[in-house]
Structure formats: C-alpha cells, structure tokens
mmCIF file of all heavy atoms in Angstrom:
data_model
loop_
_atom_site.group_PDB
_atom_site.id
_atom_site.type_symbol
_atom_site.label_atom_id
_atom_site.label_comp_id
_atom_site.label_asym_id
_atom_site.label_seq_id
_atom_site.Cartn_x
_atom_site.Cartn_y
_atom_site.Cartn_z
ATOM 1 N N GLY L 1 77.860 22.911 91.635
ATOM 2 C CA GLY L 1 78.156 22.485 90.266
ATOM 3 C C GLY L 1 77.029 21.669 89.671
ATOM 4 O O GLY L 1 76.668 21.825 88.495
ATOM 5 N N GLN L 2 76.438 20.767 90.481
ATOM 6 C CA GLN L 2 75.339 19.943 89.999
ATOM 7 C C GLN L 2 74.118 20.779 89.642
ATOM 8 O O GLN L 2 73.344 20.417 88.757
ATOM 9 C CB GLN L 2 74.979 18.898 91.063
ATOM 10 C CG GLN L 2 76.050 17.833 91.253
ATOM 11 C CD GLN L 2 75.795 16.947 92.452
ATOM 12 O OE1 GLN L 2 75.016 17.303 93.345
ATOM 13 N NE2 GLN L 2 76.441 15.799 92.491
ATOM 14 N N VAL L 3 73.954 21.903 90.340
ATOM 15 C CA VAL L 3 72.815 22.784 90.049
ATOM 16 C C VAL L 3 73.129 23.724 88.894
ATOM 17 O O VAL L 3 72.315 23.922 87.984
ATOM 18 C CB VAL L 3 72.447 23.609 91.313
ATOM 19 C CG1 VAL L 3 71.363 24.637 90.988
ATOM 20 C CG2 VAL L 3 71.989 22.684 92.430
ATOM 21 N N ALA L 4 74.340 24.315 88.913
ATOM 22 C CA ALA L 4 74.660 25.412 88.001
ATOM 23 C C ALA L 4 75.124 24.958 86.625
ATOM 24 O O ALA L 4 74.780 25.585 85.610
ATOM 25 C CB ALA L 4 75.725 26.307 88.631
ATOM 26 N N TYR L 5 75.922 23.889 86.559
ATOM 27 C CA TYR L 5 76.513 23.520 85.270
ATOM 28 C C TYR L 5 75.469 23.201 84.195
ATOM 29 O O TYR L 5 75.591 23.689 83.059
ATOM 30 C CB TYR L 5 77.479 22.347 85.448
ATOM 31 C CG TYR L 5 78.173 21.955 84.157
ATOM 32 C CD1 TYR L 5 79.099 22.804 83.556
ATOM 33 C CD2 TYR L 5 77.872 20.758 83.513
ATOM 34 C CE1 TYR L 5 79.720 22.466 82.362
ATOM 35 C CE2 TYR L 5 78.490 20.407 82.324
ATOM 36 C CZ TYR L 5 79.405 21.269 81.752
ATOM 37 O OH TYR L 5 80.010 20.931 80.572
ATOM 38 N N PRO L 6 74.434 22.400 84.490
ATOM 39 C CA PRO L 6 73.422 22.163 83.448
ATOM 40 C C PRO L 6 72.749 23.443 82.964
ATOM 41 O O PRO L 6 72.444 23.576 81.769
ATOM 42 C CB PRO L 6 72.410 21.245 84.155
ATOM 43 C CG PRO L 6 73.190 20.580 85.236
ATOM 44 C CD PRO L 6 74.168 21.615 85.701
ATOM 45 N N GLU L 7 72.529 24.385 83.880
ATOM 46 C CA GLU L 7 71.919 25.661 83.491
ATOM 47 C C GLU L 7 72.830 26.433 82.548
ATOM 48 O O GLU L 7 72.384 27.000 81.549
ATOM 49 C CB GLU L 7 71.611 26.505 84.738
ATOM 50 C CG GLU L 7 70.498 25.968 85.612
ATOM 51 C CD GLU L 7 69.146 26.118 84.933
ATOM 52 O OE1 GLU L 7 68.934 27.108 84.207
ATOM 53 O OE2 GLU L 7 68.287 25.235 85.123
ATOM 54 N N MET L 8 74.124 26.479 82.867
ATOM 55 C CA MET L 8 75.055 27.223 82.016
ATOM 56 C C MET L 8 75.242 26.536 80.667
ATOM 57 O O MET L 8 75.416 27.206 79.642
ATOM 58 C CB MET L 8 76.401 27.400 82.744
ATOM 59 C CG MET L 8 76.337 28.420 83.866
ATOM 60 S SD MET L 8 77.947 28.900 84.558
ATOM 61 C CE MET L 8 78.208 27.539 85.686
ATOM 62 N N GLN L 9 75.181 25.214 80.653
ATOM 63 C CA GLN L 9 75.233 24.499 79.382
ATOM 64 C C GLN L 9 74.014 24.826 78.530
ATOM 65 O O GLN L 9 74.131 25.028 77.309
ATOM 66 C CB GLN L 9 75.293 22.982 79.636
ATOM 67 C CG GLN L 9 76.651 22.485 80.099
ATOM 68 C CD GLN L 9 77.698 22.577 79.003
ATOM 69 O OE1 GLN L 9 78.449 23.565 78.930
ATOM 70 N NE2 GLN L 9 77.768 21.585 78.149
ATOM 71 N N ARG L 10 72.868 24.865 79.168
ATOM 72 C CA ARG L 10 71.628 25.165 78.433
ATOM 73 C C ARG L 10 71.662 26.574 77.842
ATOM 74 O O ARG L 10 71.140 26.803 76.743
ATOM 75 C CB ARG L 10 70.430 25.017 79.377
ATOM 76 C CG ARG L 10 69.067 25.082 78.688
ATOM 77 C CD ARG L 10 67.961 24.766 79.680
ATOM 78 N NE ARG L 10 67.831 25.788 80.695
ATOM 79 C CZ ARG L 10 67.128 26.900 80.531
ATOM 80 N NH1 ARG L 10 66.525 27.155 79.372
ATOM 81 N NH2 ARG L 10 67.041 27.780 81.496
ATOM 82 N N ARG L 11 72.294 27.507 78.554
ATOM 83 C CA ARG L 11 72.373 28.897 78.067
ATOM 84 C C ARG L 11 73.627 29.105 77.213
ATOM 85 O O ARG L 11 73.964 30.230 76.880
ATOM 86 C CB ARG L 11 72.388 29.865 79.252
ATOM 87 C CG ARG L 11 71.198 29.770 80.190
ATOM 88 C CD ARG L 11 69.882 29.975 79.490
ATOM 89 N NE ARG L 11 69.805 31.275 78.860
ATOM 90 C CZ ARG L 11 68.884 31.625 77.965
ATOM 91 N NH1 ARG L 11 67.983 30.745 77.574
ATOM 92 N NH2 ARG L 11 68.874 32.823 77.452
ATOM 93 N N ARG L 12 74.330 28.010 76.884
ATOM 94 C CA ARG L 12 75.477 28.021 75.967
ATOM 95 C C ARG L 12 76.651 28.863 76.464
ATOM 96 O O ARG L 12 77.289 29.608 75.700
ATOM 97 C CB ARG L 12 75.038 28.496 74.580
ATOM 98 C CG ARG L 12 73.996 27.601 73.937
ATOM 99 C CD ARG L 12 73.562 28.139 72.596
ATOM 100 N NE ARG L 12 72.447 27.354 72.052
ATOM 101 C CZ ARG L 12 71.776 27.670 70.939
ATOM 102 N NH1 ARG L 12 72.118 28.775 70.262
ATOM 103 N NH2 ARG L 12 70.777 26.922 70.522
ATOM 104 N N TYR L 13 76.930 28.755 77.748
ATOM 105 C CA TYR L 13 78.115 29.408 78.302
ATOM 106 C C TYR L 13 79.362 28.652 77.842
ATOM 107 O O TYR L 13 79.316 27.440 77.600
ATOM 108 C CB TYR L 13 78.060 29.421 79.832
ATOM 109 C CG TYR L 13 77.339 30.610 80.416
ATOM 110 C CD1 TYR L 13 76.004 30.860 80.116
ATOM 111 C CD2 TYR L 13 77.996 31.509 81.261
ATOM 112 C CE1 TYR L 13 75.327 31.947 80.665
ATOM 113 C CE2 TYR L 13 77.335 32.603 81.802
ATOM 114 C CZ TYR L 13 76.008 32.815 81.495
ATOM 115 O OH TYR L 13 75.360 33.910 82.022
ATOM 116 N N GLY L 14 80.484 29.366 77.754
ATOM 117 C CA GLY L 14 81.743 28.727 77.411
ATOM 118 C C GLY L 14 82.167 27.747 78.500
ATOM 119 O O GLY L 14 81.968 28.013 79.691
ATOM 120 N N ASN L 15 82.737 26.634 78.084
ATOM 121 C CA ASN L 15 83.135 25.615 79.056
ATOM 122 C C ASN L 15 84.136 26.137 80.077
ATOM 123 O O ASN L 15 84.085 25.799 81.260
ATOM 124 C CB ASN L 15 83.729 24.408 78.334
ATOM 125 C CG ASN L 15 82.670 23.569 77.639
ATOM 126 O OD1 ASN L 15 81.493 23.618 78.009
ATOM 127 N ND2 ASN L 15 83.066 22.810 76.632
ATOM 128 N N ARG L 16 85.068 26.971 79.621
ATOM 129 C CA ARG L 16 86.107 27.475 80.534
ATOM 130 C C ARG L 16 85.502 28.370 81.609
ATOM 131 O O ARG L 16 85.854 28.259 82.791
ATOM 132 C CB ARG L 16 87.171 28.225 79.747
ATOM 133 C CG ARG L 16 87.994 27.326 78.831
ATOM 134 C CD ARG L 16 89.076 28.114 78.099
ATOM 135 N NE ARG L 16 89.802 27.262 77.162
ATOM 136 C CZ ARG L 16 90.785 27.682 76.379
ATOM 137 N NH1 ARG L 16 91.179 28.964 76.437
ATOM 138 N NH2 ARG L 16 91.389 26.850 75.549
ATOM 139 N N LEU L 17 84.599 29.248 81.218
ATOM 140 C CA LEU L 17 83.983 30.141 82.200
ATOM 141 C C LEU L 17 83.081 29.349 83.144
ATOM 142 O O LEU L 17 83.090 29.578 84.363
ATOM 143 C CB LEU L 17 83.178 31.235 81.504
ATOM 144 C CG LEU L 17 82.446 32.217 82.437
ATOM 145 C CD1 LEU L 17 83.444 32.947 83.331
ATOM 146 C CD2 LEU L 17 81.623 33.232 81.632
ATOM 147 N N SER L 18 82.321 28.413 82.613
ATOM 148 C CA SER L 18 81.391 27.624 83.434
ATOM 149 C C SER L 18 82.135 26.854 84.512
ATOM 150 O O SER L 18 81.833 26.966 85.708
ATOM 151 C CB SER L 18 80.606 26.648 82.558
ATOM 152 O OG SER L 18 79.889 27.314 81.553
ATOM 153 N N THR L 19 83.114 26.070 84.091
ATOM 154 C CA THR L 19 83.831 25.224 85.049
ATOM 155 C C THR L 19 84.752 26.047 85.947
ATOM 156 O O THR L 19 84.920 25.737 87.126
ATOM 157 C CB THR L 19 84.643 24.143 84.318
ATOM 158 O OG1 THR L 19 85.508 24.770 83.354
ATOM 159 C CG2 THR L 19 83.717 23.179 83.593
ATOM 160 N N GLY L 20 85.344 27.113 85.387
ATOM 161 C CA GLY L 20 86.212 27.970 86.195
ATOM 162 C C GLY L 20 85.454 28.648 87.316
ATOM 163 O O GLY L 20 85.948 28.747 88.448
ATOM 164 N N ALA L 21 84.219 29.100 87.023
ATOM 165 C CA ALA L 21 83.405 29.764 88.048
ATOM 166 C C ALA L 21 83.020 28.795 89.161
ATOM 167 O O ALA L 21 83.035 29.155 90.346
ATOM 168 C CB ALA L 21 82.156 30.354 87.403
ATOM 169 N N ILE L 22 82.699 27.547 88.792
ATOM 170 C CA ILE L 22 82.323 26.551 89.812
ATOM 171 C C ILE L 22 83.526 26.207 90.691
ATOM 172 O O ILE L 22 83.424 26.164 91.917
ATOM 173 C CB ILE L 22 81.769 25.276 89.142
ATOM 174 C CG1 ILE L 22 80.488 25.595 88.368
ATOM 175 C CG2 ILE L 22 81.494 24.202 90.187
ATOM 176 C CD1 ILE L 22 80.028 24.458 87.466
ATOM 177 N N ALA L 23 84.686 25.961 90.050
ATOM 178 C CA ALA L 23 85.885 25.594 90.806
ATOM 179 C C ALA L 23 86.325 26.733 91.729
ATOM 180 O O ALA L 23 86.658 26.507 92.898
ATOM 181 C CB ALA L 23 87.015 25.225 89.851
ATOM 182 N N ALA L 24 86.324 27.958 91.198
ATOM 183 C CA ALA L 24 86.748 29.103 92.005
ATOM 184 C C ALA L 24 85.738 29.395 93.110
ATOM 185 O O ALA L 24 86.124 29.665 94.257
ATOM 186 C CB ALA L 24 86.925 30.329 91.108
ATOM 187 N N GLY L 25 84.453 29.347 92.785
ATOM 188 C CA GLY L 25 83.426 29.589 93.801
ATOM 189 C C GLY L 25 83.507 28.592 94.938
ATOM 190 O O GLY L 25 83.292 28.943 96.105
ATOM 191 N N GLY L 26 83.850 27.348 94.609
ATOM 192 C CA GLY L 26 83.965 26.332 95.642
ATOM 193 C C GLY L 26 85.052 26.623 96.655
ATOM 194 O O GLY L 26 84.945 26.226 97.821
ATOM 195 N N THR L 27 86.103 27.331 96.244
ATOM 196 C CA THR L 27 87.202 27.615 97.182
ATOM 197 C C THR L 27 86.754 28.501 98.338
ATOM 198 O O THR L 27 87.418 28.536 99.385
ATOM 199 C CB THR L 27 88.381 28.323 96.469
ATOM 200 O OG1 THR L 27 87.952 29.598 95.984
ATOM 201 C CG2 THR L 27 88.896 27.485 95.311
ATOM 202 N N LEU L 28 85.641 29.204 98.184
ATOM 203 C CA LEU L 28 85.153 30.075 99.249
ATOM 204 C C LEU L 28 84.768 29.280 100.495
ATOM 205 O O LEU L 28 84.615 29.843 101.577
ATOM 206 C CB LEU L 28 83.949 30.891 98.756
ATOM 207 C CG LEU L 28 84.243 31.876 97.609
ATOM 208 C CD1 LEU L 28 82.946 32.379 96.982
ATOM 209 C CD2 LEU L 28 85.079 33.040 98.111
ATOM 210 N N GLY L 29 84.644 27.955 100.337
ATOM 211 C CA GLY L 29 84.223 27.122 101.453
ATOM 212 C C GLY L 29 85.177 27.117 102.629
ATOM 213 O O GLY L 29 84.751 26.895 103.764
ATOM 214 N N ILE L 30 86.475 27.343 102.402
ATOM 215 C CA ILE L 30 87.404 27.336 103.546
ATOM 216 C C ILE L 30 87.801 28.746 103.977
ATOM 217 O O ILE L 30 88.670 28.909 104.840
ATOM 218 C CB ILE L 30 88.671 26.502 103.273
ATOM 219 C CG1 ILE L 30 89.478 27.042 102.097
ATOM 220 C CG2 ILE L 30 88.327 25.035 103.065
ATOM 221 C CD1 ILE L 30 90.845 26.404 101.979
ATOM 222 N N LEU L 31 87.149 29.782 103.401
ATOM 223 C CA LEU L 31 87.417 31.151 103.824
ATOM 224 C C LEU L 31 86.234 31.719 104.597
ATOM 225 O O LEU L 31 86.400 32.347 105.644
ATOM 226 C CB LEU L 31 87.738 32.032 102.612
ATOM 227 C CG LEU L 31 88.040 33.503 102.904
ATOM 228 C CD1 LEU L 31 89.255 33.619 103.830
ATOM 229 C CD2 LEU L 31 88.311 34.272 101.609
ATOM 230 N N LEU L 32 85.031 31.506 104.081
ATOM 231 C CA LEU L 32 83.851 32.011 104.768
ATOM 232 C C LEU L 32 83.502 31.098 105.942
ATOM 233 O O LEU L 32 83.572 29.879 105.831
ATOM 234 C CB LEU L 32 82.667 32.080 103.794
ATOM 235 C CG LEU L 32 82.727 33.241 102.786
ATOM 236 C CD1 LEU L 32 81.789 32.983 101.618
ATOM 237 C CD2 LEU L 32 82.372 34.555 103.469
ATOM 238 N N PRO L 33 83.140 31.682 107.076
ATOM 239 C CA PRO L 33 82.771 30.848 108.228
ATOM 240 C C PRO L 33 81.442 30.129 107.973
ATOM 241 O O PRO L 33 80.594 30.666 107.269
ATOM 242 C CB PRO L 33 82.627 31.877 109.355
ATOM 243 C CG PRO L 33 82.315 33.169 108.665
ATOM 244 C CD PRO L 33 83.043 33.117 107.352
ATOM 245 N N PRO L 34 81.280 28.890 108.522
ATOM 246 C CA PRO L 34 82.233 28.137 109.341
ATOM 247 C C PRO L 34 83.235 27.393 108.474
ATOM 248 O O PRO L 34 82.849 26.703 107.539
ATOM 249 C CB PRO L 34 81.327 27.139 110.071
ATOM 250 C CG PRO L 34 80.209 26.901 109.100
ATOM 251 C CD PRO L 34 79.996 28.198 108.360
ATOM 252 N N SER L 35 84.505 27.543 108.749
ATOM 253 C CA SER L 35 85.547 26.985 107.898
ATOM 254 C C SER L 35 86.335 25.906 108.636
ATOM 255 O O SER L 35 86.839 26.146 109.735
ATOM 256 C CB SER L 35 86.502 28.104 107.464
ATOM 257 O OG SER L 35 87.724 27.590 107.024
ATOM 258 N N THR L 36 86.423 24.734 108.028
ATOM 259 C CA THR L 36 87.231 23.655 108.607
ATOM 260 C C THR L 36 88.689 24.079 108.726
ATOM 261 O O THR L 36 89.372 23.762 109.706
ATOM 262 C CB THR L 36 87.124 22.395 107.740
ATOM 263 O OG1 THR L 36 85.755 22.040 107.583
ATOM 264 C CG2 THR L 36 87.878 21.231 108.372
ATOM 265 N N GLY L 37 89.176 24.813 107.714
ATOM 266 C CA GLY L 37 90.553 25.289 107.735
ATOM 267 C C GLY L 37 90.838 26.174 108.932
ATOM 268 O O GLY L 37 91.889 26.052 109.582
ATOM 269 N N PHE L 38 89.896 27.076 109.264
ATOM 270 C CA PHE L 38 90.085 27.954 110.419
ATOM 271 C C PHE L 38 90.074 27.165 111.727
ATOM 272 O O PHE L 38 90.805 27.496 112.667
ATOM 273 C CB PHE L 38 88.996 29.029 110.452
ATOM 274 C CG PHE L 38 89.233 30.168 109.508
ATOM 275 C CD1 PHE L 38 88.173 30.827 108.896
ATOM 276 C CD2 PHE L 38 90.515 30.608 109.218
ATOM 277 C CE1 PHE L 38 88.383 31.874 108.018
ATOM 278 C CE2 PHE L 38 90.745 31.660 108.349
ATOM 279 C CZ PHE L 38 89.672 32.292 107.744
ATOM 280 N N VAL L 39 89.238 26.133 111.807
ATOM 281 C CA VAL L 39 89.186 25.324 113.029
ATOM 282 C C VAL L 39 90.527 24.624 113.250
ATOM 283 O O VAL L 39 91.078 24.656 114.360
ATOM 284 C CB VAL L 39 88.044 24.293 112.959
ATOM 285 C CG1 VAL L 39 88.090 23.362 114.178
ATOM 286 C CG2 VAL L 39 86.689 24.992 112.897
ATOM 287 N N LEU L 40 91.076 24.010 112.205
ATOM 288 C CA LEU L 40 92.369 23.337 112.327
ATOM 289 C C LEU L 40 93.468 24.328 112.676
ATOM 290 O O LEU L 40 94.327 24.052 113.533
ATOM 291 C CB LEU L 40 92.702 22.610 111.024
ATOM 292 C CG LEU L 40 91.775 21.450 110.625
ATOM 293 C CD1 LEU L 40 92.236 20.842 109.317
ATOM 294 C CD2 LEU L 40 91.717 20.397 111.707
ATOM 295 N N TYR L 41 93.458 25.497 112.016
ATOM 296 C CA TYR L 41 94.465 26.528 112.289
ATOM 297 C C TYR L 41 94.370 26.988 113.751
ATOM 298 O O TYR L 41 95.392 27.146 114.431
ATOM 299 C CB TYR L 41 94.251 27.714 111.342
ATOM 300 C CG TYR L 41 95.226 28.857 111.530
ATOM 301 C CD1 TYR L 41 96.413 28.905 110.808
ATOM 302 C CD2 TYR L 41 94.953 29.891 112.418
ATOM 303 C CE1 TYR L 41 97.315 29.953 110.981
ATOM 304 C CE2 TYR L 41 95.837 30.947 112.593
ATOM 305 C CZ TYR L 41 97.021 30.975 111.868
ATOM 306 O OH TYR L 41 97.902 32.014 112.050
#
C-alpha cells in the first residue's frame, strides 16, 4: 500500500478501486505459502 497508493493517486485512479485492490491483495498473505494461517491449522 505504501508503494502502490501514491502511484495510483498520481495516475488519478478512483479511491474505491485503489484501496479495494490493496486490501484484497493483502489477503493473499495467508493463502500463499509461507502462511501463518496454515502453520496454526
């Protein structure tokens, strides 16, 4: 988010798409290995 959001703001992306993409992309952290969620499970 710290890298991508300023870039998307500069290119005038819609706020909903910009923030939605960052939030959704972040969820991949507990699905793709190595995943803390998988270790606990």
Side-chain angles (χ1 to χ4, degrees):
Q2 291 171 342
V3 174
Y5 183 68
E7 291 289 326
M8 287 191 278
Q9 284 291 95
R10 189 173 67 84
R11 302 303 300 166
R12 299 178 186 174
Y13 272 60
N15 286 338
R16 292 182 184 179
L17 178 60
S18 302
T19 55
I22 297 169
T27 64
L28 296 166
I30 61 169
L31 180 60
L32 285 162
S35 161
T36 305
F38 281 147
V39 174
L40 295 180
Y41 180 91

